[in-house]
């Protein structure tokens, strides 16, 4: 299954990131994971949140460009080469990784968030493998 | 030196008679050869016989850039194409460019006018003149070139782009004259200073136009290079550079009234304003054969004086330009209307985004940036997609106006609004 990631467009100027986190905090939305992809002028803040739908509404109300995207969260056990194995499965299925970032969790297992060129194909390939997916409930309540 | 004393130093009465005779001919020519002009005159209840002298010019309808666009490409030509020996065109979106045509005689008149400008700048047959305007559809390069050749000078057709080579040749050839845009001249001056070559150049005078600049900039460049800089005015609809230029006394630009009849009108009421008062410059071409212009509204704001100049010339002088009566921007010598940028943005995804054009001058070179608010329909969770969007916009804008713009994506609702309306253009260039 997919989980929802929130993406926010922010210009590279002082205080923008802080404003986003403040709005989330004011609305009681917990940040599970943050990743920032940036260019010299702007960045895309990608967030895994306890309530992504509510976050879209409140951020848009605050005048920001925000959207949700379906991403895949996969559990990675702490073994050498696990990530390589996962990537091999994806390339075997003919999908490219557009971006990925780690999802920190309290327990000893790490997870990874993936966006690929074909999310359905990727999901099928991972489901058919020994890798385990993170459910929405698990993800949203991480680090609660 | 006065290139054509007979024409440039005529008494006001003689000039009046010449202009009257030439206007009658011009009106006859357009009435009989150019349908859109004939229609306009008929609608105004006019026949060529109603125009007896230059004082009757106010009866004639105005012509605007829209008339040129509506009759694209050759609809306003007054002669068959077999008589046209050259075409020039101003920048614009396809089908919206303004196209002008010249007969052989038009080219000769143009060369004569530019030669007068060069002479006014103290240049003559013993000078070596580098022409560093762009050669091509733009009138600057070829216009300057033919004029300098007609003057009898040794012409070096540099065009634009290679500043190092321009300076090397300026030194090696001992060039004494230079024609280019004011901002390019500033850039050239900077490179000369950087390379410590000021003592090696023999440059005496420059003719600079196609771009707004100020008296301060002119004086500054004169000091930096130890030269005399002149403002040369022109527009392709009328001819190109060489419609007017300033003499050694720099008290306004002498307009060659025997070919171009100037009027200054209030841009709102379109009624003439007295000498010395600012209004829009309206020009009637008195001798042009290819594409005559009757009362063409230049949209350039200036004032006029008919007083005799200390240099001995009696031709009317227009003041340094004070701006535009429309929203046209001149960026790196290229005419840009915000509506062209808007139309280009529209082609990117069919809906006009919120945008803002920012023009600035950095190191004496114009810069163009376009801010585009990232709205939901453009938005993506991938940088690659946003970069593609920027490239698409950049390409569309380049296609439309011929200039490269830096496209900056900004957050929604961040573009400045004034009374609820987005501010579309910010021109940061300080010209005064
Ligand atoms: Zn003078």
């Amino acid at each position: 299954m997919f989980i929802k990631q929130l993406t926010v467009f922010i210009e590279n100027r002082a205080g923008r990131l802080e404003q986003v986190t403040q709005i989330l905090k004011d609305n009681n939305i917990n940040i599970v994971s943050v990743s920032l992809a940036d260019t010299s002028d702007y960045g895309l803040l990608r967030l895994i949140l306890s309530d992504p739908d509510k976050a879209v509404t409140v951020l848009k109300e605050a005048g920001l460009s925000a959207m949700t995207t379906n991403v895949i969260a996969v559990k990675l056990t702490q073994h050498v080469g696990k990530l390589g194995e996962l990537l091999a499965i994806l390339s075997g299925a003919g999908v490219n990784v557009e971006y990925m970032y780690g999802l920190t969790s309290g327990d000893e297992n790490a997870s990874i968030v993936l966006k690929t060129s074909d999310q359905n194909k990727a999901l099928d390939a991972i489901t058919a493998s020994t890798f385990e997916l993170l459910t929405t409930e698990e993800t949203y309540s991480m680090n609660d | 030196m006065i290139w054509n004393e007979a024409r440039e130093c005529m008494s006001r009465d003689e000039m009046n008679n010449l202009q009257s005779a030439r206007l009658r001919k011009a009106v006859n020519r357009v009435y009989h050869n150019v349908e859109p002009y004939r229609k306009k005159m008929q609608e105004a209840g006019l026949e060529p016989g109603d125009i007896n002298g230059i004082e009757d010019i106010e009866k004639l309808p105005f012509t605007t850039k829209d008339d040129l666009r509506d009759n694209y490409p050759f609809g306003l030509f007054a002669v068959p194409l077999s008589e046209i020996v050259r075409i020039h065109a101003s920048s614009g979106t396809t089908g919206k460019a303004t196209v002008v045509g010249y007969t052989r005689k038009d080219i000769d008149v143009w060369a004569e006018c530019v030669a007068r400008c060069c002479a006014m700048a103290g240049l003559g047959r013993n000078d070596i003149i580098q022409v560093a305007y762009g050669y091509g559809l733009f009138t600057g390069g070829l216009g300057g070139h033919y004029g300098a050749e007609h003057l009898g000078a040794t012409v070096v057709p540099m065009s634009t782009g290679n500043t190092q080579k321009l300076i090397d040749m300026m030194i090696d050839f001992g060039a004494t004259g230079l024609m280019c845009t004011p901002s390019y001249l500033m850039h050239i001056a900077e490179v000369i200073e950087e390379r410590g070559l000021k003592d090696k150049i023999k440059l005496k005078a420059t003719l600079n136009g196609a771009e707004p600049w100020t008296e301060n900039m002119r004086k500054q460049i004169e000091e930096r290079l130890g030269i005399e800089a002149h403002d040369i005015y022109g527009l392709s609809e009328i001819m190109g550079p060489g419609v007017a230029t300033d003499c050694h006394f720099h008290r306004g630009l002498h307009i060659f009234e025997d070919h171009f009849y100037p009027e200054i009108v209030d841009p709102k009421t379109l009624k003439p304003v007295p000498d010395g008062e600012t209004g829009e410059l309206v020009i009637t071409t008195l001798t042009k054969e290819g594409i005559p212009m009757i009362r063409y509204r230049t949209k350039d704001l200036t004032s006029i004086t008919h007083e005799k100049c200390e240099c001995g010339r009696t031709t009317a002088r227009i003041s340094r330009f004070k701006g535009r009566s429309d929203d046209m921007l001149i960026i790196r010598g290229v005419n840009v209307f915000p509506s062209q940028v808007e139309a280009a943005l529209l082609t990117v995804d069919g809906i006009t985004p919120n945008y803002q054009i920012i023009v600035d001058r950095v190191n004496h070179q114009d810069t163009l940036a376009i801010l585009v608010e990232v709205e939901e329909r453009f938005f993506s969770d991938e940088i690659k997609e946003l970069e593609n969007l920027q490239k698409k916009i950049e390409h569309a804008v380049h296609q439309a106006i011929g200039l490269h713009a830096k496209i900056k994506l900004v957050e929604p609702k961040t573009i400045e609004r004034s009374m609820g309306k987005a501010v579309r253009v910010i021109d940061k260039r300080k010209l005064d």
Side-chain angles (χ1 to χ4, degrees), chain A residues 7 9-11 13 16 37 39 41-42 44 46 60 63 65-67 69 98-99 115, chain B residues 374-376 379-384 386-387 390 406-414:
Chain A
T7 310
F9 178 90
I10 49 171
E11 281 170 50
R13 52 193 164 93
R16 300 310 292 151
T39 70
D41 295 324
Y42 59 85
L44 290 178
R46 299 179 183 129
K60 278 191 187 165
S65 268
M67 67 183 283
T69 316
E98 300 292 356
Y99 58 81
K115 168 77 188 291
Chain B
V374 172
E375 291 160 40
E376 221 172 321
F379 193 35
S380 165
D381 61 318
E382 293 179 25
I383 296 272
K384 186 175 72 183
L386 293 178
E387 284 177 343
Q390 282 174 294
K406 177 168 170 54
I407 310 299
K408 287 184 100 164
L409 300 181
V410 297
E411 288 170 23
K413 315 261 174 350
T414 51

Side-chain angles (χ1 to χ4, degrees), chain A residues 24-55:
Chain A
L24 296 175
K25 188 176 164 229
D26 291 347
N27 287 279
N28 235 338
I29 300 165
N30 184 35
I31 299 174
V32 177
S33 173
V34 188
S35 135
L36 180 69
D38 63 350
T39 70
S40 54
D41 295 324
Y42 59 85
L44 290 178
L45 188 63
R46 299 179 183 129
L47 299 155
I48 303 294
L49 301 166
S50 59
D51 192 343
D53 293 323
K54 185 177 169 194

Side-chain angles (χ1 to χ4, degrees), chain B residues 238-307:
Chain B
I238 297 303
M239 180 178 79
V243 172
T245 204
D246 54 344
C247 67
H248 171 67
F249 295 93
H250 304 289
R251 298 215 180 98
L253 285 71
H254 286 277
I255 181 160
F256 303 125
E257 282 182 89
D258 49 331
H259 297 292
F260 315 108
Y261 183 76
E263 296 171 84
I264 309 291
V265 302
D266 180 316
K268 289 201 182 71
T269 63
L270 301 178
K271 294 278 175 258
V273 302
D275 277 21
E277 273 181 35
T278 299
E280 183 180 322
L281 176 64
V282 171
I283 298 178
T284 299
T285 60
L286 296 173
T287 53
K288 209 174 184 198
E289 296 178 337
I291 179 165
M293 284 288 128
I294 303 294
R295 303 193 85 198
Y296 183 74
R297 293 186 57 187
T298 66
K299 309 275 174 159
D300 287 316
L301 298 177
T302 182
S303 59
I304 198 165
T305 172
H306 289 85
E307 275 170 36

Side-chain angles (χ1 to χ4, degrees), chain B residues 40 130 186 205 213 235 255 268 273 348 353 360 366 370 383 387 389 397 400 402 424:
Chain B
K40 270 197 180 185
Q130 288 178 302
M186 289 294 234
W213 57 320
L235 60 169
I255 181 160
K268 289 201 182 71
V273 302
V348 175
D360 204 349
D366 292 340
I370 300 169
I383 296 272
E387 284 177 343
L389 175 71
V397 169
R424 290 296 179 218

